[in-house]
Amino acid sequence: MSDLFEASGIHPPDAPLADRLRPQTLEEVVGQDHLLGEGGPIRRMIEAGRLGSMILWGPPGTGKTTIARLLAKAAGYEYQSISAVFSGVADLKKAFEAARMRRAAGQQTLLFVDEIHRFNRAQQDGFLPFVEEGVVTLVGATTENPSFELNGALLSRSQVYVLKRLDDAALDQLLDRAAALMERPLPLTPEARHAMLALADGDGRYLLTMSEVLFDLPGPDRGGDLLDVQALAGVLQKRAPAYDKSREEHYNLISALHKSVRGSDPDAALYWLARMLNGGEDPLYLARRIVRMAVEDIGQADPLSIMVANAAKDTYDFLGSPEGELALAQAVVHLATAPKSVGVYEAFKAAKKAAHETGSLMPPAHIRNAPTKLMKSLGYGKGYQYDPDTPEGFSGANFFPDEMERRTFYKPKGEGHEEKVKARLERWAAMRARAQKKG
């Protein structure tokens, strides 16, 4: 009979605290003022008196289901919900048929689809005609990036609104409401209360679930003591950070790590490295990315970096976790503090492009291999100068195909080790020009 309680706005006394504290109006929703506050896009929809289909994308416990219920209530729509976890094609057909019947009677339907990304592409396509005809106003909820998980056709017919993880101020507000409902404060020291907000990690539902455990403990008003941080940790289990190694969070965090190294910020780089390791990322995946950073962003500016990165991988292979993770941290700091150059990276891209454009041009005769008399008679190897044996250790000969003009791919900017390389290349370029002029 839970629907009777929901319809009346009353929750049974044994309902979870999070349900009993569920907001009854949009004004009571915390942490999403950018959408629901004055001038927010969803607020403007309500004020205009007409809802459009939308996708609510955000972390768990940020109010997606609550917002959908309250939108239907505020707009006077019939609220109907299904979950993509438990529903199939038959459930969708029933929902659309019921909505069509309501529409014929002059009643509009808001269809809330939880975990909408779990429907496959064909099932998602099934929504399109009903959304287009206005049979339902679709509100989908997802924790996954809609760009990756939802059909483009469905996205083109919906607005995507991003819900933010709840900040400490919003979480604190929830705790105050919980204390008011329970008519007693949480038995926590100020430091423990702050630690509890950190444990919630932006998830309001999880915060209230933890609170329910604490409200059952005897506080000072019932002869007990306030819990400090250590005591709180003994009562509550540490929550695993929100991190999915195969989903968007994985790519966001590795991007943050790579760009922090590229941006020469060792502190931020260490933070993102720790976040990924805490989330259960494969350390050898991180080691491979660290090697990539060395060759892509540092290159010849600090040739030692690739050796440090490879050594970190080997060290982790040898030691394992947790000791081997320190080698990854050392490599990250080395790379973040090293001079940066994309000289080799850009040069190789340009060389590959030139190789594709020029096809099968042969090397000039003087640097072709000449293992046979026939080849020697054809001029292979003729006139070749062994550069280390020349007076200046540089012959200035042409090594490009005869049919191809010389091109410059590698253009170091002069950072770190490349400062000397750049000077050497400039000196050789001048010597090459003189040698070609003589030739």
Side-chain angles (χ1 to χ4, degrees):
M1 301 297 290
S2 61
D3 288 344
L4 294 177
F5 285 107
E6 289 178 4
S8 63
I10 301 172
H11 295 282
D14 60 345
L17 181 59
D19 280 344
R20 284 181 280 159
L21 278 175
R22 194 182 290 277
Q24 298 303 304
T25 67
L26 287 167
E27 287 72 23
E28 293 179 12
V29 176
V30 300
Q32 309 303 336
D33 288 347
H34 63 296
L35 300 176
L36 303 173
E38 193 67 34
I42 296 180
R43 169 64 62 186
R44 290 198 302 268
M45 275 191 194
I46 296 168
E47 291 171 350
R50 183 169 180 81
L51 301 181
S53 292
M54 66 186 76
I55 304 297
L56 301 177
W57 171 30
T62 52
K64 296 185 288 293
T65 304
T66 296
I67 289 173
R69 288 179 181 275
L70 296 178
L71 278 174
K73 180 180 176 181
Y77 286 27
E78 181 72 19
Y79 176 79
Q80 186 171 2
S81 69
I82 60 175
S83 169
V85 177
F86 303 111
S87 304
V89 174
D91 301 293
L92 287 174
K93 286 181 178 178
K94 289 178 184 177
F96 293 137
E97 186 57 35
R100 195 183 292 279
M101 292 174 65
R102 290 191 203 100
R103 189 186 186 206
Q107 175 67 56
Q108 292 177 296
T109 299
L110 184 151
L111 178 62
F112 176 67
V113 184
D114 197 17
E115 303 284 344
I116 190 171
H117 62 276
R118 292 184 181 270
F119 278 132
N120 62 38
R121 301 282 170 167
Q123 290 169 321
Q124 290 178 30
D125 282 340
F127 287 96
L128 299 179
F130 300 98
V131 171
E132 287 176 342
E133 293 172 27
V135 174
V136 297
T137 295
L138 174 68
V139 178
T142 179
T143 55
E144 304 295 339
N145 190 327
S147 301
F148 301 147
E149 304 297 334
L150 299 185
N151 282 0
L154 187 58
L155 287 176
S156 71
R157 291 160 176 81
S158 311
Q159 292 291 323
V160 176
Y161 296 120
V162 181
L163 277 70
K164 298 178 180 178
R165 63 187 297 279
L166 302 187
D167 60 18
D168 283 356
L171 293 172
D172 217 32
Q173 197 173 343
L174 290 181
L175 289 185
D176 288 342
R177 290 182 187 177
L181 179 69
M182 301 300 291
E183 298 182 338
R184 60 180 180 274
L186 282 167
L188 298 174
T189 65
E191 294 78 15
R193 182 181 173 111
H194 183 74
M196 187 172 167
L197 298 183
L199 279 174
D201 196 22
D203 186 333
R205 186 188 305 111
Y206 183 63
L207 178 75
L208 294 175
T209 300
M210 290 191 291
S211 300
E212 202 157 15
V213 174
L214 298 176
F215 278 123
D216 288 337
L217 300 177
D221 58 327
R222 291 184 288 171
D225 296 321
L226 293 178
L227 301 179
D228 59 15
V229 174
Q230 187 173 357
L232 175 68
V235 173
L236 302 174
Q237 292 293 316
K238 185 179 184 297
R239 188 186 194 199
Y243 183 73
D244 188 333
K245 290 186 284 183
S246 66
R247 298 287 184 174
E248 192 210 3
E249 192 69 14
H250 160 84
Y251 297 105
N252 284 340
L253 266 62
I254 193 59
S255 176
L257 171 60
H258 195 149
K259 288 169 183 171
S260 297
V261 169
R262 183 181 292 156
S264 302
D265 190 335
D267 302 305
L270 285 173
Y271 170 76
W272 294 117
L273 176 69
R275 278 280 301 275
M276 296 191 80
L277 289 170
N278 287 350
E281 184 56 76
D282 178 5
L284 288 177
Y285 166 79
L286 291 168
R288 287 192 295 273
R289 287 297 296 238
I290 289 168
V291 172
R292 175 183 164 185
M293 296 172 203
V295 297
E296 184 175 309
D297 300 307
I298 296 168
Q300 278 296 94
D302 178 27
L304 183 62
S305 286
I306 191 171
M307 292 186 279
V308 170
N310 265 311
K313 180 263 295 179
D314 292 341
T315 302
Y316 182 83
D317 259 343
F318 184 61
L319 292 179
S321 291
E323 294 87 351
E325 293 170 8
L326 185 58
L328 301 181
Q330 181 178 344
V332 161
V333 170
H334 181 96
L335 269 58
T337 55
K340 307 296 186 296
S341 171
V342 292
V344 174
Y345 178 73
E346 294 295 339
F348 188 53
K349 281 202 302 183
K352 286 173 69 176
K353 183 172 182 285
H356 178 73
E357 291 170 350
T358 55
S360 304
L361 295 180
M362 290 290 287
H366 73 100
I367 59 171
R368 295 181 199 173
N369 189 31
T372 68
K373 288 183 179 179
L374 173 62
M375 291 177 174
K376 289 179 181 177
S377 70
L378 292 174
Y380 285 24
K382 184 178 180 180
Y384 172 66
Q385 300 179 69
Y386 183 61
D387 286 68
D389 231 8
T390 60
E392 295 180 294
F394 181 83
S395 67
N398 174 50
F399 297 100
F400 277 93
D402 291 331
E403 302 90 340
M404 179 180 173
E405 289 187 7
R406 177 176 184 80
R407 299 190 195 177
T408 301
F409 302 126
Y410 179 45
K411 302 172 183 178
K413 293 182 179 178
E415 284 294 313
H417 174 76
E418 281 192 325
E419 183 179 2
K420 292 180 180 178
V421 173
K422 182 181 180 184
R424 197 177 302 136
L425 287 173
E426 289 172 349
R427 178 167 57 87
W428 285 341
M431 293 170 66
R432 182 180 294 110
R434 290 196 298 270
Q436 297 299 321
K437 196 171 182 180
K438 287 179 184 177

